[in-house]
């Protein structure tokens, strides 16, 4: 049987995102592919898949960044390859808002604003709620509509949002997005059962 890994895709890869995603992975007992950070992404899709399949635990967080490049950049090409790989089970995407040079947008299922409120509206880079339902602007979101993923959660700039997602505060917005994806995938219940079994043994 071919081994697969459960993965959460993140459309940001700067230093703040890298530190925040590494923190989130540690909190839930997952793994972060730290080599996927970069602004823009420099690893190819096949290189990232190799790293994913080497990880001993999941979910695995992978970051992708196009550094504001219009249309399909290196981050999006890598993300599409990873998402479509037969050994990768994408649990969801954390779509990060940004001020782009153009007007790239994507459909999202829900967003979480900088006050931690879940909404059907998009959010901007600062985590402030926008006016369009189900849409959000970012710089590594061009290909998301092509991907067959269970849920896309929009948030503001990871680790920032006027310090409301700061690591000093436990990155509550990013953590809420992660928890939402785990709940939707059923992995949150799976982890609760595992914890219960450990406590009973």
């Amino acid at each position: 049987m071919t081994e697969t890994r459960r993965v959460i895709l993140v459309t940001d890869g700067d230093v703040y995102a890298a530190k925040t995603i590494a923190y989130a992975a540690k909190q839930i007992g997952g793994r972060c592919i730290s080599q996927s950070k970069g602004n823009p992404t420099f690893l190819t899709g096949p290189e990232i898949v190799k790293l994913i399949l080497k990880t001993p635990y999941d979910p695995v967080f992978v970051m992708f960044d196009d550094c504001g490049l219009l249309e399909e950049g290196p981050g999006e090409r890598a993300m599409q390859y990873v998402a479509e790989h037969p050994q990768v089970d994408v649990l969801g995407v954390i779509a990060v808002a940004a001020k782009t040079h153009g007007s790239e947008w994507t459909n999202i299922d829900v967003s979480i604003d900088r006050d931690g409120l879940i909404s059907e509206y998009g959010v901007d880079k600062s985590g402030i709620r926008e006016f369009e339902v189900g849409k959000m602007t970012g710089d590594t979101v061009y290909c998301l509509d092509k991907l067959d993923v269970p849920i896309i959660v929009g948030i503001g700039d990871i680790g920032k949002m006027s310090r409301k997602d700061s690591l000093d505060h436990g990155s509550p917005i990013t953590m809420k997005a992660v928890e939402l994806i785990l709940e939707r995938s059923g992995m949150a219940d799976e982890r609760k059962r595992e914890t219960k079994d450990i406590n009973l043994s």
Side-chain angles (χ1 to χ4, degrees):
M1 182 175 172
T2 304
E3 189 174 21
T4 63
R5 279 280 171 264
R6 291 177 285 189
V7 173
I8 294 175
L9 310 178
V10 183
T11 69
D12 196 4
D14 68 15
V15 63
Y16 287 93
K19 290 179 179 179
T20 303
I21 294 304
Y23 169 82
K26 185 176 181 180
Q27 295 306 299
I28 65 165
R31 289 293 183 273
C32 171
I33 303 295
S34 59
Q35 289 175 260
S36 68
K37 70 181 178 183
N39 193 7
T41 296
F42 64 89
L43 291 179
T44 66
E47 288 171 333
I48 293 172
V49 169
K50 284 182 181 178
L51 293 171
I52 290 170
L53 297 179
K54 286 179 181 178
T55 58
Y57 306 108
D58 50 22
V60 182
F61 291 81
V62 188
M63 295 168 281
F64 303 90
D65 200 311
D66 272 343
C67 195
L69 295 174
L70 284 175
E71 298 189 348
E72 189 178 89
E76 280 152 339
R77 285 192 292 273
M79 179 163 53
Q80 190 160 356
Y81 181 92
V82 170
E84 294 174 350
H85 196 278
Q87 289 176 269
V88 172
D89 177 16
V90 177
L91 301 181
V93 179
I94 299 176
V96 180
K99 291 179 181 176
T100 63
H101 302 309
S103 56
E104 290 181 7
W105 59 271
T106 185
N107 290 299
I108 57 172
D109 295 296
V110 296
S111 72
I112 303 172
D113 70 19
R114 68 185 190 179
D115 295 316
L117 300 176
I118 296 174
S119 170
E120 62 184 347
Y121 293 90
V123 292
D124 68 9
K125 183 181 175 77
S126 297
I128 297 171
R129 190 178 301 182
E130 297 271 45
F131 300 104
E132 282 201 87
V133 173
K135 288 185 178 180
M136 196 187 75
T137 301
D139 70 8
T140 316
V141 299
Y142 185 73
C143 73
L144 289 185
D145 288 345
K146 300 178 186 177
L147 306 183
D148 182 18
V149 296
I151 184 171
I152 298 176
V153 181
I155 67 172
D157 209 356
I158 289 182
K160 300 176 186 176
M161 297 180 238
S162 298
R163 294 188 57 79
K164 293 204 172 184
D165 196 45
S166 167
L167 269 175
D168 294 338
H169 301 142
S171 299
I173 313 306
T174 298
M175 288 304 303
K176 191 162 188 174
V178 171
E179 289 159 7
L180 185 58
I181 289 171
L182 293 180
E183 287 171 10
R184 181 69 68 91
S185 71
M187 200 169 180
D189 290 336
E190 180 183 315
R191 287 180 174 276
K192 285 178 185 175
R193 286 194 298 270
E194 288 173 356
T195 302
K196 185 177 179 181
D197 290 343
I198 291 170
N199 291 336
L200 290 174
S201 61

